[in-house]
Each structure stands twice: as C-alpha cells, then as structure tokens.
Amino acid sequence: MADSGLLPSGQKRIDSLAVRGIVKRFPGVLANDRVDFDVKSGEIHALLGENGAGKSTLMKILYGLYQPDAGEILLNGQPIEIRSPGDSMRYGIGMIHQHFMLVDNLTVTENVALGLRSTRAPMLDLEVVEARIRTLTERYQLQVDPKAIVGRLAVGQQQRVEIIKALYRGGALLVLDEPTAVLTPQEVAELFAIMRQMAREGHALVFISHKLHEVLDVTDRVTVLRNGAVVGNVATKATTRRELAQLMVGRPVTFARPERPEINGRVRLRVAGASAFNERGQRLLDDVTLEVHAGEIVGVAGVSGNGQRALAEAIAGLQPLRSGTIVLDDRTITEASASDRIGMGIGYIPEERMHDGVVKDFSVSDNLILRDLPSAHVARNGFLRFKSVAERSRKLISDFQVKTPSLETPIKNLSGGNIQKVIMARELSLKPRLLVAAQPTRGVDVGASEYIHDRLMEQRAAGTAILLISEDLDEIMQMADRIAVMYEGRIMDIVPHAEATLEKLGLLMAGVVPDASDVEAVPA
Amino acid sequence: MCARDPAQNPIAMNETGLRSWTDRLFDFVPQVVALFGALLVGAIMLLLIGVNPWEAYRAAFTGVFGSKNGLSDMLVKATPLLLVALGTCIAFRANVINIGAEGQLIMGALATTWLAVEMGSAAPAWLLILLCMLIGFVAGGAWGAIPGYLKARLGVNEILSTVMLNQIAIQLGFFLLRGVMMDPAERAAGTNLPHSARLPAVADLPRFTDIAKSLGFTQTAKQLGLDGMTAEFYGLFAEPTRLHLGLIFAIIAAIVVYILLWRTTVGYRIRAVGFNPAAARYAGFRVRAYVVLALTLSGALAGLAGAVEILGLHHRMFEPTSVSAGYGFSGIVVALFGRLHPLGAIPSALLFGALLVGGDKMQRAMQIPQPLVTALLGLVVLFVVSADYWTKKRATRIHVKREPTPAGTSASAGAAAD
C-alpha cells in the first residue's frame, strides 16, 4: 500500500504539503506574515492560534479561496498554484468546515453524490455511490448508515458525513476547522479515534483549534500562529499546555479557578416547571426548574441547541412559556414584557452577538443605549440627549477598555472581543440584579476572555445572580458555582462544582444519567 | 450607506477621525454621473428619432430655468414629490417598502375634498385648512396602516398589499366622484364627469403671490428695473404664479421627519427595527408595532401630499390618477436619490421637479412623443438607483482605509483574517 503511493480510498497519497513564506495582506491587516508550515503523510498537525491569528486565512489559501501576496505552496516538493476550491480538490486537499455543508432532508448517499458527476449521467448512480461509501466507512471505521436522512443524525454523525464526503472526493490531506466546537466530549473522543485511523492509513491531517487540551490529545506536531506569524513549531510530545498557551497569547496565562468567597445570598431567580414550544410546536423547554442565588454563578452546560437559548430568552422575556413560572426576587415576572424586565434589572448577553446583541450599522454609542432608552440620562420627553449619551458612552468605553476609533464608528467595524465588551458595558451599566450571559467569550480572544471573566467575578462579588450559559466546559468549570446540564430542553442534573467532572458532565450532555461504571469507562 | 450618514449620528460632528464634509460631498458624485449617463443614453434615443439632443435638452433647461412659470412649476411639482419621499424615507428606514403612496395620496385628497366641501365656509380659513390637512394626513395614514397591520399580524408582504391598495383607492375615488361626491353642477348639466364641486375659496392654500401682495410687494420686476434671472426670481413672488404655501409645509415636514428619525427615541427605534429586528426585539422594542407605525407615518405623509395638492393646486377632486399623477412612484425615486435622508430629499425633489417640467417643455418644444419623455425619465431612475452600488462600494473602501486596527483585528479585515 505504502509502495503504491495510494490510500485506501484509492486516492494518491500526499507525502508532504508545505507552504513557504506565505504573506497575505488585507487593508489595514497583515493576516499572514511569512508563514512557513508543512504537514506530512501520516501526521496530525495542529494549527493553533487565537481568533484573528491568521489560521483561517492560511487555510483559505490552501483551499483556493484567497491568493497569497507572496510565498509558495509545495506539493510533494513541487510548487503548485491553487486558484480555486476545484484546484484544491484536484490536488487532494479536503476541508471539513466547522459549519456543515449538508442538505438536511437528503440521505447520506445523496449528500455525498451531490455535485459529483454521475457515472451514468444523466441518471443518478446512487447504488454505486452507496457501495463506495460502505467500503469507506468500513475501512475508516466511520459508522454511518448511507441510507439515513442527514437531518435525523446526531451532530457527531453529521460530521462523519462531512468526512466521508471529503474522502469520497479524494481528500488525501484533510483540514478540520474547529471540528470539536459542536461535539460532546464523548463525540470528541470518537472523532479523535477516526482522525488517528486516517493518519495511520497515510492521510495528512491539519487540525485547527484554539483548545489546548485537544491539541495535546490528538496531534503529533503543533504550529502556533500569533498576529499572522508563526511563533512556534513544536512536537506535541515535547510541549506542555502552559507553553502552548504562552506561545499563543504572548504572555503567561493562568488557568486557575478564581478565588471566591462563599455565597450565602438569597434566591434571586426561580424558574419553576417552565415549558416552551416554538411556532412549529417543537418542544424547546421541558419542565425546567432552576434557582440562582444572589452572588452565585450557575453554569448551564450542554451541546448547542438543547434549549439553552430558549431558557435565556424565557428569562429575558423573549420566549413565552406554555407553563411554569419565573420569579425574580419575590415578584412573578412570567407575563412581564422584555422591556419591563430590563427595568427590573435583568441583564442579558445574547449568544448571537452580531445577530441579537447589537445593531451592526449603529455606532458604538448608539449601541450602548440600545437597551437603555427609557432612562432619564438617555432621553427626555422622547428626545435623545446627545451630550449626556456621549459623556456616558465615553466613560463606559474607557471603563471597559473598548478599542474603537471613535464613539461614532459603526460597531460592525470593531473586533469580536471589542463588540462583546460594548455589550458587556451596556448590560452592566444597567446595574443588573440578574445577569444572563450566553456564550460570553465565544469567538473572543484570550485577553478579552480573561477580562470578561474578571468582570463576571466582580459582578458575582457585588451580589449579582449570574446564569452563565456556555458550550465551553473549561469556562463552565472555571467560573461556575453550580452546573446545570441541559439536554433536549430538560435539565438533566444540577451539579455542585466540587462534584463536577468532565466525564460526568459529558454523559449528562449526551442525555445519560451516569452511574459509577459509566464514569470509569470514559477516558479523561 | 446609512451608517456613515453624519445626521444619523449627530454626536459625530465633534468627534475626531471622522469623514470631512468634502468626503461626504463625494458620495453624490456617482449619482450625478449617473444622471449625466442617463441623459447621454437619452441623447442617443433622441438622435434615433431624428431630434437634435442638444436642442432638446436646451429646450428642457430653458423651459425650467428660463421663465418664472417654469421655475414655479418645478417648485409646485417638487412639493408632493418631497412629501411622498419623506414618507418613503421613514418606511425604508424601518426596512418596509411602501409602494402604496399613490393610493395613500388619493385617499388624502379624497378626504380633504370631502371635508372642505362639507364644511364650506363655516370655519375661518386657517382652521379649515388645518383641519383639511389633518384629515388628509389621517386618511393617508389609515391607508398605510392597513398593509402595516397585515404585515405585522399575518405576515402579508407589504409590497403586494400596498400595490393592491393603490388600485382600490383609485376605484374608490371613481366610485365616490361618480356618486356622492360628484359636483352638483355636473349632475345638473347632465355631463356627469367624475369631478367634485370646487372647494370653498377659504380652503385655498395662500399662493406666494398673494402673500407677497399682502406684504406690499406690488411692483413688478420691470418697475424695479430688474432684469434677467433676478427678475425671474423676484417675479416668483410679485407676479402671479401657481406656487403655493404647500412648498413651505413640505420643507417644514422634512425638518420634522429629520428630527423624528434622528433625535427622538421613536425614530431610534424605527431605525433599529429597520436595521436589525432581532436586536430590536432583544432590546425590548415592540417590533411589529413599529412596522405598523412606520407604514402609517409613511402613508400619512403621502396623504398630506394629496391634501396639499387639492388645497393648493387643484381646488377640486377629479380623476384620482390625474391627481396622484405618478408622484407616489416618483417620490420613491426622489427618496432614493436623496439617500433616504429627509434633508437630502429636498434638493432631490427639486431636481425631479425640474426633470418633470423639463420633460414636458422639451416634448412641446421639439414635438417629441410623450412615451419617449417617459422613457427618458425612466432611464434617469434606472441609472440613479444603480449608482448606489458604487457609493456603497466606495464607503466600504474608505472605512477599511481609515479605521486604525487595534491589536491586529478590526475593520472588515478582522473577519477576513480570522
């Protein structure tokens, strides 16, 4: 097999792919600064870096979406040019995107066949495709039923369909872009097994991530990017989490759980028996009962789409309940409008920051008053008070260290971290008694992340009740006093921090109530 | 496009790092180029039918700017255009598209006529005029609220519903004018034309001429020894033209709409709903209510245009489509040319008033078929609307160039670099 230079999928092996001195400029930004990077057959190579470090730019160059301003790409030592995704595919490069490119109501086979020339054109050749899929799934141990409807598969299985697609199309080198973001810990373990199997078969794999423990788990080598430049290239075995973090951020980072005084606050938020449905009658919340005390951070863990958003919106007054009650302090607010709840002191940092959290085309200063219009310092008799708003905005921007050219800059021109700081500034300026923070650090660089966590701890110390919804278990473990795990709209369990382990949470996230034997069976 | 609008962010004025006024002036370059491009293509069309385009355009230009009547006609036509355009601005800012200004204008005109004829000379002039304008405003608003409500409650596409309501308004107008609102004189004479009775003279909007007279401008330009352009301008006031007070009302309305949109919380909410309904909902705004409000206000301004046309110009209601005269559609283009800004709509309305009058004069002077003039105006619309693409593109470029990039992540490149 190795001698023929062919992979089990029948594709020619890529012995090595190297980029040399790649430079890519965007107006005002040097996205890739003389980047050297190479990956060999049989190797899993991590590309590690914060958001904006230039990982995706580099991958888009390999995929033919961008052309480099300087530098060259060598395939098995020969310089090549990749002008389009078609070129890239012909050279044997396959991409597994973070967001799946699948048609939900088609079968696995149909999804794979989509866009390929049929051997029996103009008729479809689904049996041929299916047969090949079966060979591939056996060879690479990707258990997926080719006849299954994609929309009914679990997220982890859908990802396998993406991998099958890439293999089917002749992917000898596979790029996996943040593939674990949507998976449970168990699904991550399975994905890693598949990745190792592919490497053994002679594929070259590039694993893009900013999660250090995953990089340490599965890869052979790590290339670290910071501000567009390569700042380190190390063998995974020879490095540590601390070293990688320092390379990635450019300074030492602590992972310690912040010191915290004991809470003895009274119950601030009580959600009791809450159920909710969407317009199509699908159940979003299923008898959710939850309490948050003043000065407490309750983490809500779960795989995306298991009711976390509905829970946050129900508390904020944006999702009506079919049954159940919501009580803030001693007041039942189940029927109160969203704007009334803002007035009662419910702050809400929504997970879809650009979609819900800000009006992109409004200025920074206009966005700072978005949820504060009724306040006397914002408007009087229905007329906006520009002076007072500008003064306040200026203060908030400096207090929260928002980097913006001016108050009048449209907020869409700020980086993700700075937009999140603006949202944070706005919600905290409302002096919330309860803060619902959904994915507050997703897509935010480590620096801004730390800052946001510090602010949350400050709020906790000041007696704010905080509901922290996050898909990042590290964040939940680091911040929360108690951890509620959601699965299919239900709260599976609420675990005190001291009793929480990744395994236990992982099983709960998958809808399994763990007993002792299960916990031991899953590797850390 | 709207985000860089200086007026949208009034605090902008004294912040550093902002675009200079010359920069903003350049935003209009593509529009002006488009205008000339349209005229160029029009020239080819004129050549093809054997008309000298230079002479045709000159006839149009002198037709508008060469006589006091031409100038006054331009302003008279600019008046309803401006009012309709203001309504369009509000609707567009809320991200709803109101194609129903024709119908709303007709409803305003009908209501105004009805009230004025019913009340006769019972009320003093100022009160009658005020009430008539108010009822026109309300009637147009009601006609705009219908598609607003349908959209908010049932998700009915407002483009379809407003277009359909135009037809209903036109037929309703004919129905009333052939029935209860018909001029008794027509009925008596047996001609039965669909005209209303003439409004009582007290309901006539004062003309500039009358105001000038009452202020003592009794001398003509010649008596003053003024010549040329100056004389024409002076003549606008001192010699009888059709120019009426509606123009002033329309300009005041533009200022009010500007204040509403950019200085009040209601306007802030309308714009937030237009830019991002999800964020508006999250902010606790009643998104549907603001959609209804925007369409209602939009319709109300068109209704006001109808009222002003009746009170200031026609003094009676006749064929609905002749009263609306396509202003309901041209007004949308005026708003777009004015970059959906209430104050930008003022020069834009003047320009389109000039185009309408100029087209008319050109047709008469050069014996050009009317459809060709219509086609010419259509070309202008097409070119101007397309020009917006270039303005937007330029705006993006400027932003990328200007904004400093904090910590290597900013501007549009921040997204690209990730």
Side-chain angles (χ1 to χ4, degrees):
Chain A
M1 179 179 73
D3 297 326
S4 68
L6 290 182
L7 295 164
S9 59
Q11 172 73 16
K12 244 185 123 226
R13 204 169 58 203
I14 291 182
D15 290 323
S16 73
L17 183 98
V19 303
R20 293 280 169 258
I22 291 282
V23 176
K24 181 67 186 172
R25 281 185 203 90
F26 293 105
V29 169
L30 190 54
N32 279 169
D33 182 6
R34 285 160 297 172
V35 170
D36 292 335
F37 173 78
D38 62 276
V39 57
K40 294 193 292 281
S41 166
E43 180 187 56
I44 304 179
H45 193 142
L47 195 54
L48 180 70
E50 296 194 70
N51 292 293
K55 298 173 300 204
S56 294
T57 303
L58 185 59
M59 286 308 117
K60 281 176 180 160
I61 288 172
L62 283 184
Y63 199 46
L65 291 173
Y66 294 152
Q67 300 305 312
D69 297 329
E72 56 177 1
I73 303 171
L74 304 170
L75 181 75
N76 299 332
Q78 299 297 312
I80 56 165
E81 277 191 53
I82 304 173
R83 289 217 179 78
S84 69
D87 279 359
S88 175
M89 245 182 267
R90 272 190 291 283
Y91 285 123
I93 299 172
M95 288 267 169
I96 315 294
H97 296 277
Q98 187 179 354
H99 303 285
F100 304 149
M101 316 272 175
L102 296 171
V103 184
D104 275 354
N105 50 5
L106 294 184
T107 64
V108 171
T109 307
E110 286 167 331
N111 264 288
V112 172
L114 201 67
L116 293 177
R117 188 177 294 272
S118 166
T119 52
R120 289 208 304 261
M123 309 301 282
L124 289 173
D125 59 347
L126 291 178
E127 309 80 53
V128 182
V129 176
E130 192 182 317
R132 258 201 84 195
I133 292 176
R134 285 193 195 281
T135 353
L136 285 177
T137 50
E138 271 166 42
R139 186 75 210 206
Y140 291 91
Q141 286 151 30
L142 294 154
Q143 282 96 0
V144 177
D145 175 10
K147 287 199 160 76
I149 301 285
V150 162
R152 299 204 189 124
L153 294 176
V155 176
Q157 294 210 303
Q158 294 192 3
Q159 191 168 52
R160 285 183 208 169
V161 179
E162 283 285 5
I163 294 172
I164 292 169
K165 257 170 72 182
L167 290 173
Y168 197 104
R169 273 146 228 249
L173 182 152
L174 295 178
V175 179
L176 297 105
D177 186 5
E178 309 252 355
T180 60
V182 292
L183 306 180
T184 62
Q186 282 79 6
E187 285 174 320
V188 170
E190 289 166 20
L191 171 70
F192 285 177
I194 293 166
M195 286 170 63
R196 290 196 192 97
Q197 172 67 17
M198 289 195 289
R200 270 197 298 276
E201 297 285 3
H203 288 269
L205 283 91
V206 180
F207 177 68
I208 301 179
S209 181
H210 60 246
K211 292 186 186 166
L212 298 171
H213 60 267
E214 293 180 350
V215 166
L216 290 167
D217 256 16
V218 75
T219 65
D220 303 310
R221 264 201 302 156
V222 187
T223 295
V224 186
L225 282 177
R226 190 170 73 229
N227 292 335
V230 173
V231 291
N233 181 337
V234 291
T236 309
K237 279 195 190 107
T239 187
T240 62
R241 184 175 181 190
R242 194 164 296 276
E243 187 193 16
L244 288 179
Q246 186 158 354
L247 280 171
M248 187 162 95
V249 183
R251 59 181 166 73
V253 178
T254 55
F255 294 101
R257 183 171 155 88
E259 292 277 321
R260 54 186 68 209
E262 272 302 299
I263 38 152
N264 41 22
R266 43 177 300 201
V267 176
R268 169 120 326 146
L269 173 78
R270 176 179 290 132
V271 180
S275 291
F277 293 79
N278 67 9
E279 306 91 52
R280 281 171 294 168
Q282 291 163 318
R283 189 183 276 276
L284 300 173
L285 292 179
D286 186 359
D287 194 21
V288 168
T289 298
L290 179 77
E291 281 180 357
V292 187
H293 298 79
E296 181 189 34
I297 299 179
V298 173
V300 177
V303 177
S304 172
N306 275 289
Q308 300 95 317
R309 186 189 171 114
L311 176 63
E313 295 209 331
I315 296 168
L318 302 168
Q319 169 66 53
L321 295 184
R322 186 167 297 174
S323 60
T325 53
I326 300 173
V327 179
L328 183 72
D329 288 326
D330 292 321
R331 194 162 164 197
T332 304
I333 58 164
T334 318
E335 302 295 326
S337 73
S339 61
D340 286 346
R341 293 191 207 196
I342 296 170
M344 291 172 199
I346 298 185
Y348 176 29
I349 299 170
E351 66 174 280
E352 298 281 345
R353 169 182 327 135
M354 294 306 280
H355 186 254
D356 296 326
V358 296
V359 179
K360 280 186 291 191
D361 296 275
F362 272 12
S363 66
V364 170
S365 137
D366 277 355
N367 270 296
L368 279 169
I369 61 172
L370 185 66
R371 280 169 42 99
D372 204 14
L373 286 188
S375 294
H377 51 78
V378 172
R380 190 159 40 198
N381 303 324
F383 284 87
L384 295 167
R385 299 176 61 187
F386 292 115
K387 253 204 196 122
S388 144
V389 168
E391 272 168 28
R392 234 176 104 81
S393 301
R394 210 166 280 128
K395 184 166 182 312
L396 285 175
I397 279 173
S398 79
D399 283 357
F400 283 79
Q401 304 167 14
V402 180
K403 282 182 201 155
T404 172
S406 80
L407 288 180
E408 293 322 306
T409 306
I411 197 156
K412 63 183 171 190
N413 292 350
L414 268 52
S415 69
N418 280 304
I419 291 172
Q420 193 68 327
K421 283 182 181 173
V422 170
I423 295 175
M424 196 83 182
R426 179 180 68 212
E427 298 307 312
L428 297 190
S429 75
L430 294 168
K431 306 244 182 308
R433 296 198 289 167
L434 166 71
L435 180 66
V436 180
Q439 319 292 353
T441 59
R442 178 157 74 190
V444 165
D445 61 63
V446 172
S449 231
E450 275 185 303
Y451 181 82
I452 288 166
H453 286 161
D454 289 349
R455 285 285 163 146
L456 287 177
M457 290 310 294
E458 245 174 65
Q459 286 293 311
R460 179 190 181 275
T464 307
I466 297 172
L467 192 69
L468 173 67
I469 299 173
S470 179
E471 282 154 32
D472 182 350
L473 280 181
D474 291 343
E475 176 172 52
I476 296 259
M477 295 291 272
Q478 191 186 330
M479 299 293 294
D481 298 302
R482 290 187 298 142
I483 301 163
V485 183
M486 288 194 82
Y487 176 73
E488 293 193 341
R490 283 193 312 272
I491 291 200
M492 295 296 295
D493 197 3
I494 301 179
V495 189
H497 176 265
E499 294 166 25
T501 60
L502 276 182
E503 304 79 66
K504 190 171 182 181
L505 297 179
L507 285 170
L508 288 168
M509 282 164 71
V512 181
V513 178
D515 54 51
S517 64
D518 279 338
V519 171
E520 278 162 30
V522 177
Chain B
M1 145 187 114
C2 324
R4 294 168 302 96
D5 192 322
Q8 181 167 351
N9 302 307
I11 326 171
M13 308 305 185
N14 37 29
E15 285 293 323
T16 52
L18 285 170
R19 309 178 52 216
S20 65
W21 65 272
T22 46
D23 227 18
R24 291 194 204 110
L25 208 61
F26 269 117
D27 284 353
F28 290 92
V29 168
Q31 323 265 68
V32 176
V33 171
L35 186 63
F36 279 99
L39 293 180
L40 207 66
V41 176
I44 298 170
M45 284 164 42
L46 288 168
L47 276 175
L48 286 176
I49 60 161
V51 172
N52 180 339
W54 173 248
E55 278 182 28
Y57 287 148
R58 205 174 53 181
F61 187 83
T62 54
V64 181
F65 299 100
S67 76
K68 67 166 195 279
N69 276 324
L71 273 174
S72 111
D73 275 358
M74 170 182 99
L75 296 173
V76 165
K77 284 190 193 297
T79 302
L81 284 174
L82 178 53
L83 285 168
V84 169
L86 294 175
T88 308
C89 285
I90 295 178
F92 266 76
R93 292 288 176 180
N95 202 23
V96 285
I97 296 172
N98 178 13
I99 313 284
E102 284 279 298
Q104 291 143 7
L105 188 151
I106 290 167
M107 293 308 286
L110 283 168
T112 299
T113 308
W114 171 80
L115 185 71
V117 170
E118 287 299 311
M119 285 189 66
S121 309
W126 66 267
L127 182 63
L128 183 59
I129 288 173
L130 202 71
L131 286 175
C132 282
M133 296 213 307
L134 188 68
I135 199 173
F137 188 78
V138 170
W143 212 242
I146 296 170
Y149 183 82
L150 288 175
K151 184 184 173 71
R153 272 288 142 212
L154 306 171
V156 177
N157 182 312
E158 77 277 13
I159 299 179
L160 291 177
S161 56
T162 49
V163 167
M164 293 306 160
L165 280 164
N166 284 342
Q167 292 308 313
I168 295 174
I170 291 167
Q171 298 309 326
L172 183 67
F174 275 119
F175 173 74
L176 293 173
L177 290 168
R178 291 204 174 102
V180 290
M181 282 178 76
M182 188 189 280
D183 185 355
E186 286 286 340
R187 208 186 298 275
T191 41
N192 286 336
L193 289 174
H195 287 183
S196 78
R198 195 202 186 285
L199 270 56
V202 285
D204 290 1
L205 275 185
R207 291 184 304 174
F208 278 47
T209 317
D210 306 330
I211 301 169
K213 258 194 203 118
S214 66
L215 292 176
F217 283 94
T218 46
Q219 291 164 305
T220 61
K222 244 181 213 122
Q223 287 168 319
L224 284 172
L226 294 171
D227 286 322
M229 215 50 176
T230 330
E232 295 307 340
F233 273 117
Y234 182 75
L236 269 178
F237 302 103
E239 289 166 20
T241 65
R242 302 195 299 163
L243 188 59
H244 56 82
L245 212 52
L247 180 69
I248 304 297
F249 291 151
I251 290 171
I252 292 172
I255 296 166
V256 171
V257 170
Y258 166 74
I259 292 172
L260 172 80
L261 281 176
W262 279 287
R263 306 260 158 177
T264 70
T265 51
V266 172
Y268 177 99
R269 289 191 172 107
I270 287 178
R271 288 182 296 119
V273 165
F275 274 131
N276 185 348
R281 193 178 84 96
Y282 155 77
F285 306 163
R286 289 158 59 220
V287 173
R288 290 170 172 188
Y290 280 92
V291 165
V292 179
L293 177 69
L295 270 169
T296 305
L297 285 176
S298 180
L301 283 159
L304 187 60
V308 164
E309 284 294 277
I310 295 295
L311 298 172
L313 195 63
H314 302 311
H315 307 303
R316 70 165 79 230
M317 185 70 195
F318 47 91
E319 288 89 341
T321 44
S322 306
V323 172
S324 60
Y327 291 135
F329 300 123
S330 319
I332 297 170
V333 185
V334 169
L336 289 174
F337 194 84
R339 312 195 53 79
L340 294 174
H341 193 288
L343 301 182
I346 298 175
S348 173
L350 294 177
L351 177 70
F352 276 78
L355 282 174
L356 287 178
V357 177
D360 204 35
K361 301 276 179 182
M362 179 169 78
Q363 186 223 337
R364 272 187 239 167
M366 310 298 293
Q367 302 298 312
I368 302 165
Q370 177 62 38
L372 190 82
V373 176
T374 313
L376 263 175
L377 293 176
L379 271 177
V380 172
V381 171
L382 202 62
F383 271 70
V384 164
V385 174
S386 312
D388 209 37
Y389 170 78
W390 300 105
T391 318
K392 274 185 191 152
K393 223 175 145 182
R394 181 172 169 278
T396 317
R397 229 177 33 235
I398 287 173
H399 258 304
V400 173
K401 208 167 58 196
R402 286 281 167 84
E403 310 292 354
T405 46
T409 50
S410 164
S412 54
D418 171 31

